[in-house]
Amino acid sequence: MRYVSFVKNGKAALGVRDGEAIRVLGSESLESLLARGVDLVAYGREQANQERVDAENVVFLPPLARPPKIICIGLNYADHTKESQYEQPDYPTIFLRVATSLVGHEQPLVRPAVPDSRGLDFEGEIAAVLGKGGRHIAREDALACVAGYAIFNDASVREYQFKSPQWTVGKNFDGTGPFGPDLVTADELPPGAKGLRLETRLNGEVVQSASTDDMIFDVAELISILSEGITLEPGDVIVTGTPSGIGWARTPKLFMKHGDVCEVSVEGIGTLRNTVIDEATL
């Protein structure tokens, strides 16, 4: 089942893909469905509403507009760590994103109008969305907590990321967190989204390409480790890290600029596409 959030009659709506169309489910959000413990596969099948809209003509929203938590993982691909200024840690590098940074598929990825902001960089990633949570979740039980998977572009303003040892500001500018377009339920993908090809393209050129098998801490392990200290909740989003190829590590550096198109594709999930615009043009 492939859930999408979009704008209908000026309001947020929820639907599932039906070929080239979207079957409209109503106005209840994914956050609400997950909080109620709804089985997304069964719910999508049972809804009798037959109204359909053309997927080519909708304005997409992030699959979840305000997740309880957006937990991001850094340095989770060894090749990416090698191209960075860091040693490979033996514990996940954890930071948080805020909901105000999120943008939907085909919506502007915003290059901020602040000093030292030329370094807007791409980071294609896969995100796991939880349907169940808790504390001290065993690794063998962790994948049962996953409702589905989506694509994320953890776009980063590098100058601000490295202003301090904490990465928070550089990872949270408004309009720098493309997320979507679909939430694909876990039953449609390999367990833990293993073995999927992740690819990022900038203006059609491949800049990142890796298998999700290359993650150091896989989805099950991340859920288990995070739950040691944090109560995980339905609707939480875990953004699992980016592979090598980032613009910051290149010579010369390759950053996103006004008019660029950045696409992140994941096998079995789809493609997340955004055009970069300067904030000053909004």
Side-chain angles (χ1 to χ4, degrees):
M1 199 69 62
R2 294 171 174 266
Y3 279 82
V4 294
S5 299
F6 61 100
V7 177
K8 183 175 183 291
N9 298 328
K11 297 181 180 179
L14 186 66
V16 293
R17 288 197 186 264
D18 187 358
E20 298 300 316
I22 295 171
R23 180 160 51 88
V24 181
L25 300 182
S27 60
E28 186 172 7
S29 67
L30 271 175
E31 292 98 310
S32 176
L33 292 177
L34 293 170
R36 292 201 292 113
V38 169
D39 180 324
L40 294 183
V41 176
Y43 183 82
R45 289 173 178 161
E46 291 166 359
Q47 296 306 299
N49 190 337
Q50 296 302 305
E51 181 183 4
R52 285 166 170 75
V53 295
D54 185 351
E56 292 294 320
N57 296 322
V58 303
V59 174
F60 285 95
L61 302 171
L64 294 88
R66 289 196 169 271
K69 293 183 283 296
I70 307 168
I71 304 172
C72 300
I73 308 299
L75 308 178
N76 201 25
Y77 288 76
D79 285 350
H80 173 53
T81 305
K82 288 177 183 176
E83 71 180 359
S84 74
Q85 58 192 10
Y86 302 101
E87 297 294 325
Q88 184 64 58
D90 58 8
Y91 185 85
T93 301
I94 300 165
F95 59 96
L96 300 178
R97 259 197 184 261
V98 296
T100 49
S101 72
L102 299 179
V103 294
H105 172 65
E106 296 284 13
Q107 300 307 301
L109 196 174
V110 181
R111 183 173 174 265
V114 292
D116 301 324
S117 66
R118 291 183 299 111
L120 179 62
D121 208 347
F122 46 82
E123 289 195 8
E125 313 198 15
I126 187 171
V129 178
L130 301 188
K132 294 187 289 187
R135 281 286 307 281
H136 303 296
I137 300 168
R139 191 186 192 286
E140 58 267 25
D141 299 326
L143 292 184
C145 296
V146 179
Y149 297 90
I151 303 172
F152 205 96
N153 187 348
D154 185 33
S156 308
V157 183
R158 298 300 186 195
E159 293 90 348
Y160 279 77
Q161 179 183 350
F162 300 134
K163 279 182 180 288
S164 78
Q166 302 298 319
W167 298 351
T168 303
V169 173
K171 296 283 190 173
N172 278 287
F173 276 86
D174 286 358
T176 60
F179 180 30
D182 299 4
L183 181 140
V184 179
T185 52
D187 63 299
E188 293 201 6
L189 298 169
K194 286 274 195 176
L196 302 181
R197 176 58 49 179
L198 185 160
E199 186 174 276
T200 305
R201 296 179 299 277
L202 185 63
N203 299 324
E205 178 184 350
V206 175
V207 289
Q208 292 182 292
S209 183
S211 168
T212 55
D213 279 348
D214 297 337
M215 285 193 290
I216 293 167
F217 302 98
D218 63 18
V219 173
E221 194 167 9
L222 288 173
I223 291 171
S224 182
I225 291 171
L226 290 168
S227 72
E228 289 175 345
I230 301 170
T231 298
L232 298 178
E233 302 169 279
D236 282 351
V237 177
I238 300 173
V239 185
T240 59
T242 199
S244 63
I246 61 167
W248 180 266
R250 294 169 179 260
T251 304
K253 297 186 188 304
L254 176 65
F255 294 132
M256 295 184 289
K257 62 186 184 302
H258 183 84
D260 284 351
V261 176
C262 190
E263 299 170 292
V264 183
S265 297
V266 178
E267 181 183 5
I269 300 180
T271 296
L272 170 66
R273 181 184 301 105
N274 299 88
T275 298
V276 180
I277 67 169
D278 286 339
E279 184 178 14
T281 66
L282 289 174

